[in-house]
Coordinates of all heavy atoms in Angstrom, one line a residue:
R308 N -19.6 2.0 -4.2 CA -20.8 2.7 -4.7 C -21.4 3.6 -3.7 O -22.2 4.5 -4.1 CB -21.8 1.6 -5.1 CG -21.5 0.8 -6.3 CD -22.6 -0.2 -6.7 NE -22.2 -1.0 -7.8 CZ -22.2 -2.3 -7.7 NH1 -22.6 -3.0 -6.7 NH2 -21.7 -3.0 -8.8
I309 N -21.1 3.5 -2.5 CA -21.8 4.2 -1.4 C -21.3 5.7 -1.4 O -20.1 5.9 -1.5 CB -21.6 3.6 0.0 CG1 -22.2 2.2 0.0 CG2 -22.1 4.5 1.1 CD1 -23.7 2.1 -0.1
R310 N -22.3 6.6 -1.3 CA -22.0 8.0 -1.2 C -22.7 8.5 0.1 O -23.7 7.9 0.6 CB -22.5 8.8 -2.4 CG -21.9 8.4 -3.7 CD -20.4 8.7 -3.8 NE -19.7 8.2 -4.9 CZ -18.9 7.2 -4.8 NH1 -18.5 6.6 -3.7 NH2 -18.3 6.7 -5.9
P311 N -22.2 9.6 0.7 CA -22.9 10.1 1.9 C -24.4 10.3 1.8 O -25.1 10.1 2.7 CB -22.1 11.5 2.1 CG -20.8 11.2 1.6 CD -21.0 10.4 0.3
D312 N -24.8 10.7 0.6 CA -26.3 10.9 0.4 C -27.1 9.6 0.5 O -28.3 9.6 0.6 CB -26.5 11.6 -1.0 CG -26.0 13.0 -1.0 OD1 -25.7 13.6 0.1 OD2 -25.9 13.6 -2.1
D313 N -26.4 8.5 0.4 CA -27.1 7.2 0.4 C -27.4 6.7 1.8 O -28.2 5.8 2.0 CB -26.2 6.1 -0.2 CG -25.9 6.4 -1.7 OD1 -26.7 7.0 -2.4 OD2 -24.8 6.0 -2.2
L314 N -26.8 7.3 2.8 CA -27.0 6.8 4.2 C -28.4 6.8 4.7 O -28.9 5.9 5.3 CB -26.1 7.5 5.2 CG -24.6 7.4 4.9 CD1 -23.8 8.1 6.0 CD2 -24.2 5.9 4.8
G315 N -29.2 7.8 4.3 CA -30.6 7.9 4.7 C -31.4 6.7 4.1 O -32.2 6.1 4.8
A316 N -31.1 6.4 2.9 CA -31.8 5.2 2.2 C -31.4 3.9 2.9 O -32.2 3.0 3.1 CB -31.5 5.2 0.7
V317 N -30.1 3.8 3.3 CA -29.7 2.6 4.0 C -30.4 2.5 5.3 O -30.9 1.4 5.7 CB -28.1 2.6 4.2 CG1 -27.7 1.4 5.0 CG2 -27.4 2.6 2.8
L318 N -30.4 3.6 6.0 CA -31.1 3.6 7.3 C -32.6 3.2 7.2 O -33.1 2.5 8.1 CB -31.0 4.9 8.0 CG -29.5 5.2 8.5 CD1 -29.4 6.7 8.9 CD2 -29.2 4.3 9.7
A319 N -33.2 3.5 6.1 CA -34.6 3.2 5.9 C -34.8 1.7 5.7 O -36.0 1.2 5.8 CB -35.1 4.0 4.7
T320 N -33.8 0.9 5.5 CA -33.9 -0.5 5.3 C -33.8 -1.3 6.6 O -34.0 -2.5 6.6 CB -32.9 -1.1 4.3 OG1 -31.6 -1.0 4.9 CG2 -32.8 -0.3 3.0
R321 N -33.6 -0.6 7.7 CA -33.3 -1.3 9.0 C -34.3 -2.4 9.3 O -33.9 -3.6 9.6 CB -33.3 -0.3 10.1 CG -32.9 -1.0 11.4 CD -32.6 0.0 12.5 NE -32.1 -0.7 13.7 CZ -31.3 -0.2 14.5 NH1 -30.9 1.0 14.4 NH2 -30.8 -1.0 15.5
N322 N -35.6 -2.1 9.3 CA -36.6 -3.1 9.7 C -36.6 -4.4 8.8 O -36.6 -5.5 9.3 CB -38.0 -2.6 9.7 CG -38.2 -1.6 10.8 OD1 -37.5 -1.6 11.9 ND2 -39.1 -0.6 10.7
Q323 N -36.4 -4.2 7.5 CA -36.4 -5.3 6.5 C -35.1 -6.1 6.7 O -35.2 -7.3 6.7 CB -36.5 -4.8 5.1 CG -37.8 -4.1 4.7 CD -37.7 -2.6 4.9 OE1 -37.1 -2.1 5.8 NE2 -38.3 -1.9 3.9
V324 N -34.0 -5.4 6.9 CA -32.7 -6.2 7.1 C -32.8 -7.0 8.4 O -32.4 -8.1 8.5 CB -31.5 -5.2 7.1 CG1 -30.3 -5.9 7.5 CG2 -31.4 -4.6 5.7
E325 N -33.3 -6.4 9.5 CA -33.4 -7.1 10.8 C -34.3 -8.3 10.7 O -34.0 -9.4 11.2 CB -33.8 -6.2 11.9 CG -32.7 -5.2 12.3 CD -33.1 -4.3 13.5 OE1 -34.1 -4.5 14.1 OE2 -32.2 -3.4 13.8
R326 N -35.4 -8.1 10.0 CA -36.3 -9.3 9.8 C -35.7 -10.4 9.0 O -35.8 -11.6 9.3 CB -37.6 -8.8 9.1 CG -38.6 -8.2 10.1 CD -40.0 -8.2 9.5 NE -40.1 -7.4 8.2 CZ -40.3 -6.1 8.1 NH1 -40.5 -5.4 9.2 NH2 -40.4 -5.5 6.9
K327 N -35.0 -10.0 7.9 CA -34.3 -11.0 7.1 C -33.2 -11.7 8.0 O -33.1 -12.9 7.9 CB -33.6 -10.3 5.9 CG -33.0 -11.3 4.9 CD -32.5 -10.6 3.7 CE -31.9 -11.6 2.7 NZ -31.4 -10.9 1.5
A328 N -32.5 -11.0 8.8 CA -31.5 -11.6 9.7 C -32.1 -12.5 10.7 O -31.5 -13.6 11.0 CB -30.7 -10.5 10.4
M329 N -33.2 -12.2 11.2 CA -33.9 -13.1 12.1 C -34.4 -14.4 11.5 O -34.4 -15.4 12.1 CB -35.1 -12.4 12.8 CG -34.7 -11.4 13.8 SD -36.1 -10.7 14.7 CE -36.3 -9.1 13.9
R330 N -34.7 -14.4 10.2 CA -35.2 -15.5 9.5 C -34.1 -16.5 9.0 O -34.2 -17.6 8.8 CB -36.0 -15.1 8.3 CG -37.4 -14.6 8.6 CD -38.3 -14.4 7.4 NE -37.6 -14.0 6.2 CZ -37.5 -12.7 5.8 NH1 -38.1 -11.8 6.4 NH2 -36.9 -12.4 4.7
K331 N -32.9 -15.9 8.6 CA -31.9 -16.7 8.0 C -30.9 -17.2 9.0 O -30.3 -16.4 9.7 CB -31.1 -15.8 6.9 CG -32.0 -15.5 5.7 CD -31.2 -14.8 4.6 CE -30.4 -15.8 3.8 NZ -29.7 -15.1 2.7
G332 N -30.7 -18.5 9.0 CA -29.9 -19.1 10.0 C -28.4 -18.6 10.1 O -28.0 -18.2 11.2
R333 N -27.7 -18.6 9.0 CA -26.3 -18.1 9.1 C -26.2 -16.7 9.4 O -25.2 -16.2 10.0 CB -25.6 -18.4 7.7 CG -25.4 -19.9 7.5 CD -24.6 -20.1 6.2 NE -23.3 -19.6 6.2 CZ -22.5 -19.5 5.2 NH1 -22.9 -19.8 4.0 NH2 -21.2 -19.1 5.4
L334 N -27.2 -15.9 9.0 CA -27.2 -14.5 9.2 C -27.7 -14.1 10.7 O -27.2 -13.1 11.2 CB -28.1 -13.8 8.2 CG -28.0 -12.3 8.0 CD1 -26.5 -11.8 7.7 CD2 -28.9 -11.8 6.9
R335 N -28.5 -14.9 11.2 CA -29.0 -14.7 12.6 C -28.0 -14.4 13.6 O -28.1 -13.6 14.5 CB -30.0 -15.8 13.0 CG -30.7 -15.5 14.3 CD -31.7 -16.6 14.7 NE -32.5 -17.0 13.6 CZ -32.7 -18.3 13.2 NH1 -32.1 -19.3 13.8 NH2 -33.5 -18.6 12.2
R336 N -26.9 -15.1 13.5 CA -25.8 -14.9 14.5 C -25.2 -13.5 14.5 O -24.5 -13.1 15.5 CB -24.7 -16.0 14.4 CG -23.9 -15.8 13.1 CD -22.9 -16.9 13.0 NE -22.3 -16.8 11.7 CZ -21.3 -17.5 11.3 NH1 -20.8 -18.4 12.1 NH2 -20.7 -17.3 10.1
F337 N -25.4 -12.8 13.4 CA -24.9 -11.4 13.3 C -25.9 -10.4 13.7 O -25.6 -9.2 13.5 CB -24.4 -11.2 11.9 CG -23.3 -12.1 11.5 CD1 -23.4 -13.0 10.4 CD2 -22.0 -12.0 12.1 CE1 -22.4 -13.8 10.1 CE2 -21.0 -12.9 11.7 CZ -21.2 -13.8 10.7
L338 N -27.1 -10.7 14.1 CA -28.2 -9.8 14.4 C -27.7 -8.6 15.3 O -28.0 -7.5 15.0 CB -29.4 -10.5 14.9 CG -30.6 -9.6 15.1 CD1 -31.0 -8.9 13.8 CD2 -31.8 -10.4 15.7
G339 N -27.1 -8.9 16.4 CA -26.6 -7.9 17.3 C -25.6 -6.9 16.6 O -25.7 -5.7 16.8
D340 N -24.7 -7.5 15.8 CA -23.8 -6.7 15.1 C -24.5 -5.8 14.0 O -24.1 -4.6 13.8 CB -22.7 -7.5 14.4 CG -21.8 -8.2 15.4 OD1 -21.3 -7.5 16.4 OD2 -21.5 -9.4 15.3
I341 N -25.5 -6.4 13.4 CA -26.2 -5.6 12.4 C -26.9 -4.5 13.0 O -26.9 -3.3 12.5 CB -27.2 -6.6 11.6 CG1 -26.4 -7.5 10.7 CG2 -28.3 -5.8 10.9 CD1 -27.3 -8.7 10.2
R342 N -27.5 -4.7 14.2 CA -28.2 -3.6 14.9 C -27.1 -2.5 15.3 O -27.4 -1.3 15.1 CB -28.9 -4.1 16.1 CG -30.1 -4.9 15.8 CD -30.8 -5.5 17.0 NE -32.1 -6.1 16.6 CZ -32.7 -7.1 17.2 NH1 -32.1 -7.6 18.2 NH2 -33.8 -7.5 16.7
T343 N -26.0 -2.9 15.7 CA -24.9 -1.9 16.1 C -24.5 -1.2 14.8 O -24.2 0.0 14.9 CB -23.7 -2.6 16.7 OG1 -24.2 -3.3 17.9 CG2 -22.6 -1.6 17.1
M344 N -24.4 -1.9 13.7 CA -24.0 -1.2 12.5 C -25.0 -0.1 12.1 O -24.6 1.0 11.7 CB -23.8 -2.2 11.3 CG -22.5 -3.0 11.5 SD -22.1 -4.0 10.1 CE -23.3 -5.2 10.0
F345 N -26.3 -0.5 12.2 CA -27.3 0.5 11.9 C -27.3 1.7 12.9 O -27.4 2.9 12.5 CB -28.7 -0.1 12.0 CG -29.2 -0.7 10.6 CD1 -29.3 -2.0 10.5 CD2 -29.4 0.2 9.6 CE1 -29.8 -2.5 9.3 CE2 -29.9 -0.3 8.3 CZ -30.0 -1.7 8.2
D346 N -27.0 1.4 14.2 CA -26.9 2.5 15.2 C -25.8 3.4 14.8 O -25.9 4.6 14.9 CB -26.8 1.9 16.6 CG -28.0 1.2 17.1 OD1 -29.1 1.4 16.5 OD2 -27.9 0.5 18.1
M347 N -24.6 2.8 14.5 CA -23.5 3.6 14.2 C -23.7 4.5 12.9 O -23.4 5.7 12.9 CB -22.2 2.8 14.0 CG -20.9 3.6 13.8 SD -19.5 2.5 14.1 CE -18.9 2.5 12.4
L348 N -24.3 3.9 11.9 CA -24.7 4.7 10.7 C -25.6 5.8 11.0 O -25.4 7.0 10.6 CB -25.4 3.8 9.6 CG -24.5 2.9 8.8 CD1 -25.4 2.2 7.7 CD2 -23.4 3.7 8.1
R349 N -26.6 5.6 11.9 CA -27.5 6.6 12.3 C -26.8 7.8 13.0 O -27.0 8.9 12.7 CB -28.6 6.0 13.2 CG -29.7 7.1 13.7 CD -30.4 6.7 14.9 NE -29.4 6.4 16.0 CZ -29.4 5.4 16.8 NH1 -30.3 4.4 16.7 NH2 -28.5 5.3 17.7
D350 N -26.0 7.4 13.9 CA -25.2 8.4 14.7 C -24.2 9.2 13.8 O -24.0 10.4 14.0 CB -24.6 7.8 15.9 CG -25.6 7.4 17.0 OD1 -26.7 8.0 17.0 OD2 -25.2 6.6 17.8
Y351 N -23.6 8.5 12.8 CA -22.8 9.2 11.9 C -23.6 10.1 11.0 O -23.2 11.3 10.8 CB -22.0 8.1 11.0 CG -21.1 8.8 10.0 CD1 -19.8 9.0 10.4 CD2 -21.5 9.2 8.8 CE1 -18.9 9.6 9.5 CE2 -20.6 9.8 7.9 CZ -19.3 10.0 8.2 OH -18.5 10.6 7.4
W352 N -24.7 9.6 10.5 CA -25.6 10.4 9.6 C -26.1 11.7 10.3 O -26.1 12.7 9.7 CB -26.7 9.5 9.1 CG -27.6 10.1 8.1 CD1 -27.2 10.5 6.8 CD2 -29.0 10.3 8.1 NE1 -28.3 11.0 6.1 CE2 -29.4 10.8 6.9 CE3 -29.9 10.1 9.1 CZ2 -30.7 11.2 6.6 CZ3 -31.2 10.4 8.9 CH2 -31.6 11.0 7.6
N353 N -26.5 11.5 11.6 CA -27.0 12.7 12.2 C -26.0 13.6 12.9 O -26.3 14.6 13.5 CB -28.1 12.3 13.3 CG -27.6 11.6 14.5 OD1 -26.4 11.7 14.8 ND2 -28.5 10.8 15.1
G354 N -24.7 13.2 12.7 CA -23.6 14.0 13.2 C -23.2 13.8 14.6 O -22.2 14.5 15.1
S355 N -23.8 12.9 15.4 CA -23.4 12.8 16.8 C -22.2 11.9 17.0 O -21.6 11.9 18.0 CB -24.6 12.3 17.6 OG -25.0 11.0 17.1
Y356 N -21.8 11.1 16.0 CA -20.6 10.3 16.1 C -19.9 10.4 14.8 O -20.3 9.9 13.7 CB -21.0 8.9 16.4 CG -19.8 8.0 16.6 CD1 -19.0 8.0 17.8 CD2 -19.4 7.1 15.6 CE1 -17.9 7.2 18.0 CE2 -18.2 6.3 15.8 CZ -17.5 6.4 17.0 OH -16.4 5.6 17.2
R357 N -18.7 11.0 14.8 CA -17.9 11.1 13.6 C -16.5 10.5 13.7 O -15.6 10.7 12.9 CB -17.8 12.6 13.2 CG -19.1 13.2 12.7 CD -19.5 12.4 11.5 NE -20.8 12.9 11.0 CZ -21.0 13.5 9.9 NH1 -20.0 13.7 9.1 NH2 -22.2 13.9 9.5
A358 N -16.2 9.8 14.8 CA -14.9 9.3 15.1 C -14.7 7.9 14.4 O -14.3 6.9 15.0 CB -14.7 9.1 16.6
V359 N -15.0 7.9 13.1 CA -14.9 6.7 12.3 C -14.6 7.2 10.8 O -15.1 8.1 10.3 CB -16.2 5.9 12.3 CG1 -17.4 6.7 11.8 CG2 -16.1 4.6 11.6
P360 N -13.7 6.4 10.2 CA -13.3 6.8 8.8 C -14.5 6.5 7.8 O -15.3 5.5 8.0 CB -12.1 6.0 8.5 CG -12.1 4.8 9.4 CD -12.9 5.3 10.7
W361 N -14.6 7.3 6.8 CA -15.6 7.1 5.8 C -15.5 5.6 5.2 O -16.5 5.0 4.9 CB -15.5 8.1 4.6 CG -16.5 7.7 3.5 CD1 -16.1 7.3 2.3 CD2 -17.9 7.8 3.6 NE1 -17.3 7.0 1.6 CE2 -18.4 7.3 2.3 CE3 -18.8 8.2 4.6 CZ2 -19.7 7.2 2.0 CZ3 -20.2 8.1 4.3 CH2 -20.6 7.6 3.0
Y362 N -14.3 5.1 5.1 CA -14.1 3.8 4.6 C -15.0 2.8 5.3 O -15.6 1.9 4.7 CB -12.6 3.5 4.7 CG -12.2 2.1 4.3 CD1 -11.9 1.8 3.0 CD2 -12.1 1.0 5.2 CE1 -11.5 0.6 2.6 CE2 -11.8 -0.2 4.8 CZ -11.4 -0.5 3.5 OH -11.0 -1.7 3.1
S363 N -15.0 2.9 6.6 CA -15.8 1.9 7.5 C -17.3 2.2 7.3 O -18.0 1.2 7.2 CB -15.4 2.1 8.9 OG -14.0 1.6 9.1
I364 N -17.7 3.4 7.3 CA -19.1 3.8 7.1 C -19.6 3.2 5.8 O -20.6 2.6 5.7 CB -19.3 5.3 7.2 CG1 -19.0 5.8 8.6 CG2 -20.7 5.7 6.7 CD1 -20.0 5.2 9.7
A365 N -18.8 3.4 4.7 CA -19.2 2.9 3.4 C -19.2 1.4 3.4 O -20.1 0.8 2.7 CB -18.2 3.4 2.3
A366 N -18.3 0.7 4.0 CA -18.3 -0.8 4.1 C -19.5 -1.3 4.8 O -20.2 -2.2 4.4 CB -17.0 -1.3 4.8
I367 N -19.9 -0.6 5.9 CA -21.1 -1.0 6.7 C -22.3 -0.8 5.8 O -23.2 -1.7 5.7 CB -21.1 -0.2 8.0 CG1 -20.1 -0.8 9.0 CG2 -22.5 -0.4 8.6 CD1 -19.9 0.1 10.2
A368 N -22.4 0.4 5.2 CA -23.6 0.7 4.4 C -23.7 -0.3 3.2 O -24.8 -0.8 2.9 CB -23.5 2.1 3.9
G369 N -22.6 -0.6 2.6 CA -22.5 -1.6 1.5 C -23.0 -3.0 1.9 O -23.8 -3.6 1.3
A370 N -22.5 -3.4 3.1 CA -22.9 -4.7 3.6 C -24.4 -4.8 3.9 O -25.1 -5.8 3.6 CB -22.1 -5.1 4.9
L371 N -24.9 -3.7 4.5 CA -26.3 -3.7 4.9 C -27.2 -3.7 3.6 O -28.3 -4.3 3.6 CB -26.6 -2.5 5.8 CG -26.0 -2.6 7.2 CD1 -26.2 -1.3 7.9 CD2 -26.5 -3.8 8.0
L372 N -26.8 -2.9 2.6 CA -27.5 -2.9 1.3 C -27.5 -4.3 0.7 O -28.4 -4.7 0.0 CB -27.0 -1.8 0.4 CG -27.5 -0.4 0.7 CD1 -26.9 0.6 -0.2 CD2 -29.0 -0.3 0.7
Y373 N -26.3 -5.0 0.8 CA -26.2 -6.3 0.2 C -27.2 -7.2 0.9 O -27.8 -8.0 0.2 CB -24.8 -6.8 0.4 CG -24.5 -8.1 -0.3 CD1 -23.9 -8.0 -1.6 CD2 -24.8 -9.3 0.2 CE1 -23.7 -9.2 -2.3 CE2 -24.5 -10.5 -0.5 CZ -24.0 -10.4 -1.8 OH -23.7 -11.5 -2.5
I374 N -27.3 -7.2 2.2 CA -28.3 -8.0 2.9 C -29.7 -7.6 2.5 O -30.5 -8.5 2.2 CB -28.2 -7.8 4.4 CG1 -26.8 -8.3 4.9 CG2 -29.3 -8.5 5.1 CD1 -26.5 -7.9 6.4
F375 N -30.0 -6.4 2.3 CA -31.3 -5.9 2.0 C -31.8 -6.4 0.6 O -32.9 -6.8 0.4 CB -31.4 -4.4 2.0 CG -32.7 -3.8 1.5 CD1 -33.8 -3.9 2.3 CD2 -32.7 -3.1 0.3 CE1 -35.0 -3.4 1.8 CE2 -33.9 -2.6 -0.1 CZ -35.0 -2.7 0.6
N376 N -30.9 -6.3 -0.3 CA -31.2 -6.6 -1.7 C -31.6 -8.1 -1.9 O -30.7 -9.0 -1.6 CB -30.1 -6.3 -2.6 CG -30.5 -6.4 -4.1 OD1 -31.3 -7.2 -4.5 ND2 -29.9 -5.5 -4.9
P377 N -32.8 -8.4 -2.3 CA -33.2 -9.9 -2.5 C -32.4 -10.6 -3.5 O -32.3 -11.8 -3.5 CB -34.7 -9.8 -2.8 CG -34.9 -8.4 -3.3 CD -33.9 -7.5 -2.7
L378 N -31.8 -9.8 -4.4 CA -30.9 -10.5 -5.4 C -29.5 -10.5 -5.0 O -28.6 -10.9 -5.8 CB -31.0 -9.7 -6.8 CG -32.4 -9.8 -7.4 CD1 -32.4 -9.0 -8.7 CD2 -32.9 -11.2 -7.6
D379 N -29.2 -10.0 -3.8 CA -27.8 -10.0 -3.3 C -26.9 -9.2 -4.2 O -25.7 -9.6 -4.3 CB -27.3 -11.4 -3.0 CG -28.0 -12.1 -1.9 OD1 -28.6 -11.4 -1.0 OD2 -28.1 -13.3 -1.9
M380 N -27.4 -8.3 -4.9 CA -26.6 -7.4 -5.8 C -26.1 -8.2 -7.0 O -25.9 -7.6 -8.0 CB -25.5 -6.7 -5.1 CG -25.9 -5.8 -3.9 SD -27.3 -4.8 -4.3 CE -26.4 -3.3 -4.7
V381 N -25.9 -9.5 -6.9 CA -25.4 -10.3 -8.0 C -26.3 -11.5 -8.0 O -26.3 -12.3 -7.0 CB -23.9 -10.8 -7.7 CG1 -23.5 -11.6 -8.9 CG2 -23.0 -9.6 -7.5
P382 N -27.1 -11.7 -9.0 CA -28.1 -12.8 -9.0 C -27.4 -14.1 -8.8 O -26.2 -14.3 -9.3 CB -28.7 -12.7 -10.4 CG -28.6 -11.3 -10.8 CD -27.3 -10.8 -10.1
D383 N -28.0 -15.1 -8.2 CA -27.4 -16.4 -7.9 C -27.2 -17.2 -9.2 O -26.5 -18.1 -9.2 CB -28.4 -17.2 -7.0 CG -28.4 -16.7 -5.6 OD1 -27.4 -15.9 -5.3 OD2 -29.3 -17.0 -4.8
L384 N -27.7 -16.7 -10.3 CA -27.5 -17.4 -11.6 C -26.1 -17.1 -12.1 O -25.6 -17.9 -12.9 CB -28.5 -16.9 -12.6 CG -30.0 -17.2 -12.3 CD1 -30.9 -16.6 -13.3 CD2 -30.2 -18.7 -12.2
I385 N -25.4 -16.1 -11.7 CA -24.1 -15.8 -12.1 C -23.1 -16.6 -11.3 O -23.1 -16.5 -10.0 CB -23.8 -14.3 -11.9 CG1 -24.7 -13.4 -12.8 CG2 -22.3 -14.0 -12.3 CD1 -24.6 -12.0 -12.6
L386 N -22.3 -17.4 -11.9 CA -21.4 -18.3 -11.2 C -20.5 -17.5 -10.3 O -20.1 -16.4 -10.6 CB -20.6 -19.1 -12.2 CG -21.5 -20.1 -13.0 CD1 -20.6 -20.8 -14.0 CD2 -22.2 -21.1 -12.1
T387 N -20.0 -18.2 -9.3 CA -19.1 -17.7 -8.3 C -19.6 -16.6 -7.5 O -20.1 -16.8 -6.4 CB -17.7 -17.2 -9.0 OG1 -17.4 -18.2 -10.0 CG2 -16.6 -17.2 -8.0
F388 N -19.7 -15.3 -8.0 CA -20.1 -14.2 -7.1 C -21.6 -14.3 -6.8 O -22.0 -13.8 -5.7 CB -19.8 -12.9 -7.8 CG -18.4 -12.6 -8.0 CD1 -17.8 -12.6 -9.2 CD2 -17.6 -12.4 -6.8 CE1 -16.4 -12.3 -9.3 CE2 -16.2 -12.2 -6.9 CZ -15.6 -12.1 -8.2
G389 N -22.4 -14.9 -7.6 CA -23.8 -15.0 -7.3 C -24.1 -15.9 -6.2 O -25.2 -15.8 -5.6
L390 N -23.2 -16.7 -5.7 CA -23.5 -17.6 -4.6 C -22.9 -17.1 -3.3 O -23.0 -17.8 -2.3 CB -22.9 -19.0 -4.9 CG -23.4 -19.7 -6.2 CD1 -22.7 -21.0 -6.5 CD2 -24.9 -19.9 -6.1
V391 N -22.4 -15.9 -3.3 CA -22.0 -15.3 -2.0 C -23.2 -15.1 -1.1 O -24.2 -14.5 -1.5 CB -21.2 -14.0 -2.3 CG1 -20.8 -13.4 -1.0 CG2 -20.0 -14.3 -3.1
D392 N -23.1 -15.5 0.1 CA -24.1 -15.5 1.0 C -24.1 -14.1 1.8 O -23.1 -13.6 2.0 CB -24.0 -16.7 2.0 CG -25.0 -16.7 3.0 OD1 -26.2 -17.2 2.7 OD2 -24.8 -16.4 4.2
D393 N -25.3 -13.7 2.2 CA -25.4 -12.5 3.1 C -24.5 -12.6 4.3 O -23.8 -11.6 4.7 CB -26.8 -12.2 3.5 CG -27.8 -12.0 2.4 OD1 -27.4 -11.4 1.4 OD2 -29.0 -12.4 2.5
A394 N -24.4 -13.7 4.9 CA -23.6 -13.9 6.1 C -22.2 -13.8 5.8 O -21.4 -13.2 6.6 CB -23.9 -15.3 6.8
A395 N -21.7 -14.2 4.6 CA -20.3 -14.1 4.3 C -19.9 -12.7 4.1 O -18.8 -12.2 4.5 CB -20.0 -14.9 3.0
V396 N -20.8 -11.9 3.5 CA -20.5 -10.5 3.3 C -20.5 -9.7 4.6 O -19.7 -8.9 4.9 CB -21.5 -9.8 2.3 CG1 -21.4 -8.3 2.2 CG2 -21.4 -10.4 0.9
T397 N -21.5 -10.1 5.5 CA -21.5 -9.5 6.8 C -20.3 -9.8 7.6 O -19.7 -8.9 8.2 CB -22.8 -10.0 7.6 OG1 -23.9 -9.7 6.8 CG2 -22.9 -9.3 8.9
A398 N -19.8 -11.1 7.5 CA -18.6 -11.5 8.2 C -17.4 -10.7 7.7 O -16.5 -10.3 8.5 CB -18.4 -13.0 8.1

Side-chain angles (χ1 to χ4, degrees):
R308 292 184 183 122
I309 298 296
R310 300 291 170 252
D312 293 344
D313 298 330
L314 296 184
V317 175
L318 290 168
T320 69
R321 183 174 188 147
N322 290 335
Q323 296 96 321
V324 170
E325 286 183 7
R326 277 197 304 270
K327 186 173 182 181
M329 285 187 259
R330 287 191 322 263
K331 289 185 84 175
R333 287 183 71 191
L334 193 56
R335 188 177 308 130
R336 68 181 175 176
F337 298 116
L338 184 58
D340 292 316
I341 288 168
R342 287 178 172 151
T343 301
M344 289 191 289
F345 271 113
D346 290 345
M347 189 165 110
L348 280 185
R349 180 201 59 226
D350 287 338
Y351 181 90
W352 188 61
N353 69 25
S355 61
Y356 184 75
R357 292 298 177 115
V359 59
W361 172 252
Y362 176 89
S363 293
I364 292 297
I367 289 168
L371 294 171
L372 283 178
Y373 190 92
I374 295 168
F375 173 72
N376 190 327
L378 297 178
D379 296 332
M380 303 310 263
V381 182
D383 289 343
L384 299 175
I385 299 174
L386 293 178
T387 318
F388 293 114
L390 300 176
V391 176
D392 182 75
D393 296 329
V396 172
T397 303

